[in-house]
Amino acid sequence: AQSVAQPEDQVNVAEGNPLTVKCTYSVSGNPYLFWYVQYPNRGLQFLLKYITGDNLVKGSYGFEAEFNKSQTSFHLKKPSALVSDSALYFCAVRDMGKYGGATNKLIFGTGTLLAVQP
Amino acid sequence: ETGVTQSPTHLIKTRGQQVTLRCSSQSGHNTVSWYQQALGQGPQFIFQYYREEENGRGNFPPRFSGLQFPNYSSELNVNALELDDSALYLCASSLVLGDYEQYFGPGTRLTVT
């Protein structure tokens, strides 16, 4: 079964410093990986995805993620954190259909709360 | 291009009651998925509709049911509400089935007392 794990409940970083939010995955077949961000009382906003191709994926708001097949990781990164980046971040993997067919079902991790201090 | 909208924003129900939550997909999107997000948890997939047919279901009991209409708007119905049904319910739409990007609505916060 497909799954993702986010080992850190919370990440604290000072504004201007680089940030990393960790995610590891377990899939059968090729992974389709995603990062979403959730602000308080809001739905999820898409940040970026990895389907195939370059291991470094660039997304919205200056975020990027590095796909590492040997370590089964997909860590979210940003070179310089902003206070406004403080939010809940979710890593997700697309599930396969019953017979390997197309599905939009996402399996989410438990989330990592990013706190950026001014 | 309008985004995904959900109604109501908040809802309080009593155990045993029934509830209907509504979602309007982003313009042109024919696939909608529903997720339940309990407090402190990641969203859990409930089911997905594609062109008015259910096309995938998560580990939720039959008292969770849904509909998708010809205009691709959608409803989530929950019967015989239980306290554990208290959660944020999220609707997500995508342009086509298998599309990798899903656009989420703001959610409906359901409280069951």
PDB file of all heavy atoms in Angstrom, chain B residues 35-67:
ATOM      1  N   TYR B  35     -12.727  14.559   1.185  1.00  0.00           N
ATOM      2  CA  TYR B  35     -11.792  14.118   2.222  1.00  0.00           C
ATOM      3  C   TYR B  35     -12.319  14.537   3.589  1.00  0.00           C
ATOM      4  O   TYR B  35     -12.973  15.590   3.728  1.00  0.00           O
ATOM      5  CB  TYR B  35     -10.410  14.758   2.024  1.00  0.00           C
ATOM      6  CG  TYR B  35      -9.663  14.274   0.806  1.00  0.00           C
ATOM      7  CD1 TYR B  35      -9.931  14.791  -0.452  1.00  0.00           C
ATOM      8  CD2 TYR B  35      -8.682  13.303   0.927  1.00  0.00           C
ATOM      9  CE1 TYR B  35      -9.238  14.346  -1.570  1.00  0.00           C
ATOM     10  CE2 TYR B  35      -7.974  12.851  -0.184  1.00  0.00           C
ATOM     11  CZ  TYR B  35      -8.256  13.381  -1.420  1.00  0.00           C
ATOM     12  OH  TYR B  35      -7.573  12.938  -2.519  1.00  0.00           O
ATOM     13  N   GLN B  36     -11.990  13.738   4.591  1.00  0.00           N
ATOM     14  CA  GLN B  36     -12.294  14.080   5.978  1.00  0.00           C
ATOM     15  C   GLN B  36     -10.974  14.372   6.692  1.00  0.00           C
ATOM     16  O   GLN B  36     -10.046  13.552   6.632  1.00  0.00           O
ATOM     17  CB  GLN B  36     -12.996  12.910   6.675  1.00  0.00           C
ATOM     18  CG  GLN B  36     -13.345  13.185   8.135  1.00  0.00           C
ATOM     19  CD  GLN B  36     -13.674  11.908   8.904  1.00  0.00           C
ATOM     20  OE1 GLN B  36     -12.833  11.041   9.093  1.00  0.00           O
ATOM     21  NE2 GLN B  36     -14.926  11.797   9.334  1.00  0.00           N
ATOM     22  N   GLN B  37     -10.892  15.523   7.338  1.00  0.00           N
ATOM     23  CA  GLN B  37      -9.678  15.864   8.080  1.00  0.00           C
ATOM     24  C   GLN B  37     -10.045  16.060   9.558  1.00  0.00           C
ATOM     25  O   GLN B  37     -10.596  17.086   9.944  1.00  0.00           O
ATOM     26  CB  GLN B  37      -9.019  17.120   7.524  1.00  0.00           C
ATOM     27  CG  GLN B  37      -7.691  17.440   8.192  1.00  0.00           C
ATOM     28  CD  GLN B  37      -7.024  18.681   7.631  1.00  0.00           C
ATOM     29  OE1 GLN B  37      -7.629  19.464   6.915  1.00  0.00           O
ATOM     30  NE2 GLN B  37      -5.745  18.867   7.963  1.00  0.00           N
ATOM     31  N   ALA B  38      -9.732  15.057  10.357  1.00  0.00           N
ATOM     32  CA  ALA B  38      -9.944  15.164  11.798  1.00  0.00           C
ATOM     33  C   ALA B  38      -8.880  16.084  12.381  1.00  0.00           C
ATOM     34  O   ALA B  38      -7.815  16.297  11.790  1.00  0.00           O
ATOM     35  CB  ALA B  38      -9.874  13.787  12.439  1.00  0.00           C
ATOM     36  N   LEU B  39      -9.159  16.607  13.539  1.00  0.00           N
ATOM     37  CA  LEU B  39      -8.250  17.559  14.176  1.00  0.00           C
ATOM     38  C   LEU B  39      -6.873  16.942  14.382  1.00  0.00           C
ATOM     39  O   LEU B  39      -6.753  15.845  14.921  1.00  0.00           O
ATOM     40  CB  LEU B  39      -8.837  17.986  15.516  1.00  0.00           C
ATOM     41  CG  LEU B  39      -8.293  19.287  16.116  1.00  0.00           C
ATOM     42  CD1 LEU B  39      -8.561  20.450  15.185  1.00  0.00           C
ATOM     43  CD2 LEU B  39      -8.917  19.532  17.483  1.00  0.00           C
ATOM     44  N   GLY B  40      -5.846  17.627  13.892  1.00  0.00           N
ATOM     45  CA  GLY B  40      -4.482  17.145  14.062  1.00  0.00           C
ATOM     46  C   GLY B  40      -4.072  16.034  13.131  1.00  0.00           C
ATOM     47  O   GLY B  40      -2.997  15.445  13.303  1.00  0.00           O
ATOM     48  N   GLN B  41      -4.899  15.729  12.146  1.00  0.00           N
ATOM     49  CA  GLN B  41      -4.605  14.645  11.214  1.00  0.00           C
ATOM     50  C   GLN B  41      -4.523  15.162   9.789  1.00  0.00           C
ATOM     51  O   GLN B  41      -4.973  16.267   9.488  1.00  0.00           O
ATOM     52  CB  GLN B  41      -5.701  13.578  11.297  1.00  0.00           C
ATOM     53  CG  GLN B  41      -5.876  12.974  12.671  1.00  0.00           C
ATOM     54  CD  GLN B  41      -4.683  12.163  13.097  1.00  0.00           C
ATOM     55  OE1 GLN B  41      -4.097  11.439  12.290  1.00  0.00           O
ATOM     56  NE2 GLN B  41      -4.292  12.286  14.357  1.00  0.00           N
ATOM     57  N   GLY B  42      -3.972  14.333   8.924  1.00  0.00           N
ATOM     58  CA  GLY B  42      -4.012  14.626   7.508  1.00  0.00           C
ATOM     59  C   GLY B  42      -5.368  14.244   6.933  1.00  0.00           C
ATOM     60  O   GLY B  42      -6.101  13.445   7.517  1.00  0.00           O
ATOM     61  N   PRO B  43      -5.723  14.804   5.797  1.00  0.00           N
ATOM     62  CA  PRO B  43      -7.001  14.443   5.164  1.00  0.00           C
ATOM     63  C   PRO B  43      -7.057  12.963   4.799  1.00  0.00           C
ATOM     64  O   PRO B  43      -6.058  12.393   4.360  1.00  0.00           O
ATOM     65  CB  PRO B  43      -7.016  15.320   3.905  1.00  0.00           C
ATOM     66  CG  PRO B  43      -6.094  16.451   4.209  1.00  0.00           C
ATOM     67  CD  PRO B  43      -5.021  15.860   5.064  1.00  0.00           C
ATOM     68  N   GLN B  44      -8.229  12.371   4.983  1.00  0.00           N
ATOM     69  CA  GLN B  44      -8.478  10.975   4.632  1.00  0.00           C
ATOM     70  C   GLN B  44      -9.492  10.933   3.487  1.00  0.00           C
ATOM     71  O   GLN B  44     -10.559  11.542   3.588  1.00  0.00           O
ATOM     72  CB  GLN B  44      -9.012  10.208   5.835  1.00  0.00           C
ATOM     73  CG  GLN B  44      -8.071  10.202   7.028  1.00  0.00           C
ATOM     74  CD  GLN B  44      -6.874   9.319   6.828  1.00  0.00           C
ATOM     75  OE1 GLN B  44      -6.997   8.210   6.318  1.00  0.00           O
ATOM     76  NE2 GLN B  44      -5.697   9.805   7.219  1.00  0.00           N
ATOM     77  N   PHE B  45      -9.163  10.167   2.468  1.00  0.00           N
ATOM     78  CA  PHE B  45     -10.011  10.068   1.280  1.00  0.00           C
ATOM     79  C   PHE B  45     -11.314   9.357   1.610  1.00  0.00           C
ATOM     80  O   PHE B  45     -11.303   8.250   2.162  1.00  0.00           O
ATOM     81  CB  PHE B  45      -9.241   9.312   0.202  1.00  0.00           C
ATOM     82  CG  PHE B  45      -9.981   9.057  -1.062  1.00  0.00           C
ATOM     83  CD1 PHE B  45     -10.128  10.055  -2.007  1.00  0.00           C
ATOM     84  CD2 PHE B  45     -10.516   7.808  -1.335  1.00  0.00           C
ATOM     85  CE1 PHE B  45     -10.791   9.812  -3.208  1.00  0.00           C
ATOM     86  CE2 PHE B  45     -11.178   7.558  -2.529  1.00  0.00           C
ATOM     87  CZ  PHE B  45     -11.311   8.564  -3.463  1.00  0.00           C
ATOM     88  N   ILE B  46     -12.451   9.996   1.244  1.00  0.00           N
ATOM     89  CA  ILE B  46     -13.758   9.370   1.455  1.00  0.00           C
ATOM     90  C   ILE B  46     -14.196   8.682   0.170  1.00  0.00           C
ATOM     91  O   ILE B  46     -14.418   7.471   0.143  1.00  0.00           O
ATOM     92  CB  ILE B  46     -14.815  10.410   1.889  1.00  0.00           C
ATOM     93  CG1 ILE B  46     -14.378  11.120   3.162  1.00  0.00           C
ATOM     94  CG2 ILE B  46     -16.172   9.722   2.087  1.00  0.00           C
ATOM     95  CD1 ILE B  46     -15.303  12.243   3.596  1.00  0.00           C
ATOM     96  N   PHE B  47     -14.363   9.452  -0.897  1.00  0.00           N
ATOM     97  CA  PHE B  47     -14.684   8.898  -2.210  1.00  0.00           C
ATOM     98  C   PHE B  47     -14.452   9.950  -3.284  1.00  0.00           C
ATOM     99  O   PHE B  47     -14.164  11.114  -3.003  1.00  0.00           O
ATOM    100  CB  PHE B  47     -16.112   8.344  -2.308  1.00  0.00           C
ATOM    101  CG  PHE B  47     -17.197   9.199  -1.700  1.00  0.00           C
ATOM    102  CD1 PHE B  47     -17.380  10.519  -2.073  1.00  0.00           C
ATOM    103  CD2 PHE B  47     -18.049   8.659  -0.743  1.00  0.00           C
ATOM    104  CE1 PHE B  47     -18.370  11.285  -1.507  1.00  0.00           C
ATOM    105  CE2 PHE B  47     -19.052   9.426  -0.178  1.00  0.00           C
ATOM    106  CZ  PHE B  47     -19.211  10.739  -0.552  1.00  0.00           C
ATOM    107  N   GLN B  48     -14.613   9.491  -4.506  1.00  0.00           N
ATOM    108  CA  GLN B  48     -14.369  10.333  -5.674  1.00  0.00           C
ATOM    109  C   GLN B  48     -15.481  10.105  -6.680  1.00  0.00           C
ATOM    110  O   GLN B  48     -15.974   8.978  -6.833  1.00  0.00           O
ATOM    111  CB  GLN B  48     -13.019   9.946  -6.269  1.00  0.00           C
ATOM    112  CG  GLN B  48     -12.697  10.541  -7.616  1.00  0.00           C
ATOM    113  CD  GLN B  48     -11.416   9.939  -8.157  1.00  0.00           C
ATOM    114  OE1 GLN B  48     -10.334  10.177  -7.647  1.00  0.00           O
ATOM    115  NE2 GLN B  48     -11.542   9.152  -9.205  1.00  0.00           N
ATOM    116  N   TYR B  49     -15.876  11.160  -7.362  1.00  0.00           N
ATOM    117  CA  TYR B  49     -16.876  11.066  -8.415  1.00  0.00           C
ATOM    118  C   TYR B  49     -16.293  11.584  -9.722  1.00  0.00           C
ATOM    119  O   TYR B  49     -15.601  12.605  -9.758  1.00  0.00           O
ATOM    120  CB  TYR B  49     -18.133  11.869  -8.051  1.00  0.00           C
ATOM    121  CG  TYR B  49     -19.033  11.106  -7.134  1.00  0.00           C
ATOM    122  CD1 TYR B  49     -18.771  11.055  -5.763  1.00  0.00           C
ATOM    123  CD2 TYR B  49     -20.128  10.392  -7.626  1.00  0.00           C
ATOM    124  CE1 TYR B  49     -19.581  10.327  -4.924  1.00  0.00           C
ATOM    125  CE2 TYR B  49     -20.940   9.669  -6.779  1.00  0.00           C
ATOM    126  CZ  TYR B  49     -20.654   9.638  -5.428  1.00  0.00           C
ATOM    127  OH  TYR B  49     -21.453   8.905  -4.593  1.00  0.00           O
ATOM    128  N   TYR B  50     -16.594  10.851 -10.767  1.00  0.00           N
ATOM    129  CA  TYR B  50     -16.164  11.218 -12.115  1.00  0.00           C
ATOM    130  C   TYR B  50     -17.373  11.109 -13.023  1.00  0.00           C
ATOM    131  O   TYR B  50     -17.963  10.026 -13.146  1.00  0.00           O
ATOM    132  CB  TYR B  50     -15.039  10.308 -12.589  1.00  0.00           C
ATOM    133  CG  TYR B  50     -14.666  10.448 -14.034  1.00  0.00           C
ATOM    134  CD1 TYR B  50     -14.166  11.636 -14.537  1.00  0.00           C
ATOM    135  CD2 TYR B  50     -14.810   9.369 -14.908  1.00  0.00           C
ATOM    136  CE1 TYR B  50     -13.818  11.760 -15.869  1.00  0.00           C
ATOM    137  CE2 TYR B  50     -14.460   9.485 -16.237  1.00  0.00           C
ATOM    138  CZ  TYR B  50     -13.963  10.687 -16.714  1.00  0.00           C
ATOM    139  OH  TYR B  50     -13.625  10.804 -18.030  1.00  0.00           O
ATOM    140  N   ARG B  51     -17.747  12.231 -13.617  1.00  0.00           N
ATOM    141  CA  ARG B  51     -18.907  12.256 -14.517  1.00  0.00           C
ATOM    142  C   ARG B  51     -20.114  11.575 -13.883  1.00  0.00           C
ATOM    143  O   ARG B  51     -20.737  10.698 -14.484  1.00  0.00           O
ATOM    144  CB  ARG B  51     -18.548  11.616 -15.850  1.00  0.00           C
ATOM    145  CG  ARG B  51     -17.555  12.458 -16.633  1.00  0.00           C
ATOM    146  CD  ARG B  51     -17.292  11.906 -18.006  1.00  0.00           C
ATOM    147  NE  ARG B  51     -16.425  12.808 -18.777  1.00  0.00           N
ATOM    148  CZ  ARG B  51     -15.992  12.583 -20.012  1.00  0.00           C
ATOM    149  NH1 ARG B  51     -16.366  11.488 -20.638  1.00  0.00           N
ATOM    150  NH2 ARG B  51     -15.201  13.431 -20.611  1.00  0.00           N
ATOM    151  N   GLU B  52     -20.398  11.967 -12.669  1.00  0.00           N
ATOM    152  CA  GLU B  52     -21.602  11.581 -11.918  1.00  0.00           C
ATOM    153  C   GLU B  52     -21.583  10.148 -11.396  1.00  0.00           C
ATOM    154  O   GLU B  52     -22.584   9.692 -10.822  1.00  0.00           O
ATOM    155  CB  GLU B  52     -22.868  11.819 -12.752  1.00  0.00           C
ATOM    156  CG  GLU B  52     -23.009  13.250 -13.229  1.00  0.00           C
ATOM    157  CD  GLU B  52     -24.200  13.432 -14.160  1.00  0.00           C
ATOM    158  OE1 GLU B  52     -25.323  13.106 -13.743  1.00  0.00           O
ATOM    159  OE2 GLU B  52     -23.992  13.895 -15.303  1.00  0.00           O
ATOM    160  N   GLU B  53     -20.485   9.437 -11.554  1.00  0.00           N
ATOM    161  CA  GLU B  53     -20.388   8.062 -11.060  1.00  0.00           C
ATOM    162  C   GLU B  53     -19.317   7.986  -9.978  1.00  0.00           C
ATOM    163  O   GLU B  53     -18.238   8.589 -10.119  1.00  0.00           O
ATOM    164  CB  GLU B  53     -20.020   7.105 -12.192  1.00  0.00           C
ATOM    165  CG  GLU B  53     -21.028   7.009 -13.315  1.00  0.00           C
ATOM    166  CD  GLU B  53     -22.230   6.172 -12.941  1.00  0.00           C
ATOM    167  OE1 GLU B  53     -22.093   5.287 -12.065  1.00  0.00           O
ATOM    168  OE2 GLU B  53     -23.317   6.402 -13.505  1.00  0.00           O
ATOM    169  N   GLU B  54     -19.586   7.223  -8.917  1.00  0.00           N
ATOM    170  CA  GLU B  54     -18.549   7.011  -7.914  1.00  0.00           C
ATOM    171  C   GLU B  54     -17.423   6.198  -8.533  1.00  0.00           C
ATOM    172  O   GLU B  54     -17.647   5.159  -9.143  1.00  0.00           O
ATOM    173  CB  GLU B  54     -19.122   6.267  -6.692  1.00  0.00           C
ATOM    174  CG  GLU B  54     -18.110   6.171  -5.552  1.00  0.00           C
ATOM    175  CD  GLU B  54     -18.660   5.476  -4.320  1.00  0.00           C
ATOM    176  OE1 GLU B  54     -19.595   6.013  -3.701  1.00  0.00           O
ATOM    177  OE2 GLU B  54     -18.136   4.388  -3.981  1.00  0.00           O
ATOM    178  N   ASN B  55     -16.216   6.671  -8.329  1.00  0.00           N
ATOM    179  CA  ASN B  55     -15.048   6.061  -8.953  1.00  0.00           C
ATOM    180  C   ASN B  55     -13.933   5.925  -7.938  1.00  0.00           C
ATOM    181  O   ASN B  55     -12.872   6.490  -8.074  1.00  0.00           O
ATOM    182  CB  ASN B  55     -14.585   6.921 -10.133  1.00  0.00           C
ATOM    183  CG  ASN B  55     -13.392   6.336 -10.843  1.00  0.00           C
ATOM    184  OD1 ASN B  55     -13.383   5.164 -11.183  1.00  0.00           O
ATOM    185  ND2 ASN B  55     -12.361   7.139 -11.046  1.00  0.00           N
ATOM    186  N   GLY B  56     -14.197   5.194  -6.900  1.00  0.00           N
ATOM    187  CA  GLY B  56     -13.187   4.990  -5.863  1.00  0.00           C
ATOM    188  C   GLY B  56     -13.726   5.422  -4.513  1.00  0.00           C
ATOM    189  O   GLY B  56     -14.408   6.455  -4.407  1.00  0.00           O
ATOM    190  N   ARG B  57     -13.436   4.621  -3.508  1.00  0.00           N
ATOM    191  CA  ARG B  57     -13.944   4.872  -2.169  1.00  0.00           C
ATOM    192  C   ARG B  57     -12.887   4.494  -1.148  1.00  0.00           C
ATOM    193  O   ARG B  57     -12.198   3.486  -1.305  1.00  0.00           O
ATOM    194  CB  ARG B  57     -15.216   4.060  -1.938  1.00  0.00           C
ATOM    195  CG  ARG B  57     -15.950   4.406  -0.674  1.00  0.00           C
ATOM    196  CD  ARG B  57     -17.221   3.597  -0.537  1.00  0.00           C
ATOM    197  NE  ARG B  57     -17.953   3.993   0.660  1.00  0.00           N
ATOM    198  CZ  ARG B  57     -18.881   4.939   0.694  1.00  0.00           C
ATOM    199  NH1 ARG B  57     -19.215   5.564  -0.414  1.00  0.00           N
ATOM    200  NH2 ARG B  57     -19.491   5.253   1.818  1.00  0.00           N
ATOM    201  N   GLY B  58     -12.787   5.271  -0.105  1.00  0.00           N
ATOM    202  CA  GLY B  58     -11.868   4.963   0.982  1.00  0.00           C
ATOM    203  C   GLY B  58     -12.552   4.102   2.028  1.00  0.00           C
ATOM    204  O   GLY B  58     -13.644   3.579   1.813  1.00  0.00           O
ATOM    205  N   ASN B  59     -11.926   3.972   3.186  1.00  0.00           N
ATOM    206  CA  ASN B  59     -12.451   3.112   4.247  1.00  0.00           C
ATOM    207  C   ASN B  59     -13.480   3.843   5.099  1.00  0.00           C
ATOM    208  O   ASN B  59     -13.277   4.070   6.296  1.00  0.00           O
ATOM    209  CB  ASN B  59     -11.300   2.603   5.112  1.00  0.00           C
ATOM    210  CG  ASN B  59     -10.375   1.692   4.345  1.00  0.00           C
ATOM    211  OD1 ASN B  59     -10.826   0.934   3.485  1.00  0.00           O
ATOM    212  ND2 ASN B  59      -9.089   1.773   4.619  1.00  0.00           N
ATOM    213  N   PHE B  60     -14.572   4.194   4.490  1.00  0.00           N
ATOM    214  CA  PHE B  60     -15.659   4.848   5.197  1.00  0.00           C
ATOM    215  C   PHE B  60     -16.923   4.003   5.037  1.00  0.00           C
ATOM    216  O   PHE B  60     -17.150   3.414   3.986  1.00  0.00           O
ATOM    217  CB  PHE B  60     -15.886   6.266   4.651  1.00  0.00           C
ATOM    218  CG  PHE B  60     -14.885   7.263   5.163  1.00  0.00           C
ATOM    219  CD1 PHE B  60     -13.637   7.362   4.584  1.00  0.00           C
ATOM    220  CD2 PHE B  60     -15.194   8.079   6.236  1.00  0.00           C
ATOM    221  CE1 PHE B  60     -12.689   8.263   5.070  1.00  0.00           C
ATOM    222  CE2 PHE B  60     -14.268   8.982   6.726  1.00  0.00           C
ATOM    223  CZ  PHE B  60     -13.019   9.077   6.139  1.00  0.00           C
ATOM    224  N   PRO B  61     -17.758   3.969   6.090  1.00  0.00           N
ATOM    225  CA  PRO B  61     -18.963   3.123   6.030  1.00  0.00           C
ATOM    226  C   PRO B  61     -19.985   3.665   5.045  1.00  0.00           C
ATOM    227  O   PRO B  61     -19.912   4.832   4.628  1.00  0.00           O
ATOM    228  CB  PRO B  61     -19.480   3.184   7.467  1.00  0.00           C
ATOM    229  CG  PRO B  61     -18.950   4.465   8.015  1.00  0.00           C
ATOM    230  CD  PRO B  61     -17.618   4.666   7.377  1.00  0.00           C
ATOM    231  N   PRO B  62     -20.972   2.840   4.703  1.00  0.00           N
ATOM    232  CA  PRO B  62     -21.985   3.238   3.706  1.00  0.00           C
ATOM    233  C   PRO B  62     -22.825   4.433   4.121  1.00  0.00           C
ATOM    234  O   PRO B  62     -23.460   5.059   3.256  1.00  0.00           O
ATOM    235  CB  PRO B  62     -22.857   1.977   3.582  1.00  0.00           C
ATOM    236  CG  PRO B  62     -21.975   0.867   4.007  1.00  0.00           C
ATOM    237  CD  PRO B  62     -21.086   1.429   5.074  1.00  0.00           C
ATOM    238  N   ARG B  63     -22.828   4.777   5.402  1.00  0.00           N
ATOM    239  CA  ARG B  63     -23.624   5.952   5.788  1.00  0.00           C
ATOM    240  C   ARG B  63     -23.010   7.252   5.246  1.00  0.00           C
ATOM    241  O   ARG B  63     -23.633   8.307   5.330  1.00  0.00           O
ATOM    242  CB  ARG B  63     -23.787   6.002   7.318  1.00  0.00           C
ATOM    243  CG  ARG B  63     -22.518   6.074   8.105  1.00  0.00           C
ATOM    244  CD  ARG B  63     -22.784   5.885   9.604  1.00  0.00           C
ATOM    245  NE  ARG B  63     -21.547   6.069  10.353  1.00  0.00           N
ATOM    246  CZ  ARG B  63     -21.114   7.278  10.705  1.00  0.00           C
ATOM    247  NH1 ARG B  63     -21.817   8.361  10.427  1.00  0.00           N
ATOM    248  NH2 ARG B  63     -19.976   7.391  11.377  1.00  0.00           N
ATOM    249  N   PHE B  64     -21.811   7.150   4.700  1.00  0.00           N
ATOM    250  CA  PHE B  64     -21.213   8.258   3.944  1.00  0.00           C
ATOM    251  C   PHE B  64     -21.555   8.017   2.473  1.00  0.00           C
ATOM    252  O   PHE B  64     -21.126   7.002   1.891  1.00  0.00           O
ATOM    253  CB  PHE B  64     -19.702   8.306   4.116  1.00  0.00           C
ATOM    254  CG  PHE B  64     -19.235   8.844   5.442  1.00  0.00           C
ATOM    255  CD1 PHE B  64     -19.261   8.037   6.567  1.00  0.00           C
ATOM    256  CD2 PHE B  64     -18.781  10.141   5.563  1.00  0.00           C
ATOM    257  CE1 PHE B  64     -18.840   8.527   7.801  1.00  0.00           C
ATOM    258  CE2 PHE B  64     -18.340  10.638   6.791  1.00  0.00           C
ATOM    259  CZ  PHE B  64     -18.378   9.831   7.906  1.00  0.00           C
ATOM    260  N   SER B  65     -22.309   8.907   1.895  1.00  0.00           N
ATOM    261  CA  SER B  65     -22.694   8.740   0.494  1.00  0.00           C
ATOM    262  C   SER B  65     -22.560  10.077  -0.217  1.00  0.00           C
ATOM    263  O   SER B  65     -22.458  11.131   0.424  1.00  0.00           O
ATOM    264  CB  SER B  65     -24.113   8.212   0.376  1.00  0.00           C
ATOM    265  OG  SER B  65     -25.032   9.142   0.914  1.00  0.00           O
ATOM    266  N   GLY B  66     -22.593  10.011  -1.533  1.00  0.00           N
ATOM    267  CA  GLY B  66     -22.407  11.245  -2.281  1.00  0.00           C
ATOM    268  C   GLY B  66     -23.180  11.280  -3.569  1.00  0.00           C
ATOM    269  O   GLY B  66     -23.798  10.285  -3.989  1.00  0.00           O
ATOM    270  N   LEU B  67     -23.153  12.446  -4.179  1.00  0.00           N
ATOM    271  CA  LEU B  67     -23.763  12.650  -5.486  1.00  0.00           C
ATOM    272  C   LEU B  67     -22.917  13.653  -6.247  1.00  0.00           C
ATOM    273  O   LEU B  67     -22.323  14.555  -5.658  1.00  0.00           O
ATOM    274  CB  LEU B  67     -25.178  13.216  -5.348  1.00  0.00           C
ATOM    275  CG  LEU B  67     -26.324  12.293  -4.958  1.00  0.00           C
ATOM    276  CD1 LEU B  67     -27.576  13.118  -4.729  1.00  0.00           C
ATOM    277  CD2 LEU B  67     -26.562  11.241  -6.033  1.00  0.00           C
TER     278      LEU B  67
END
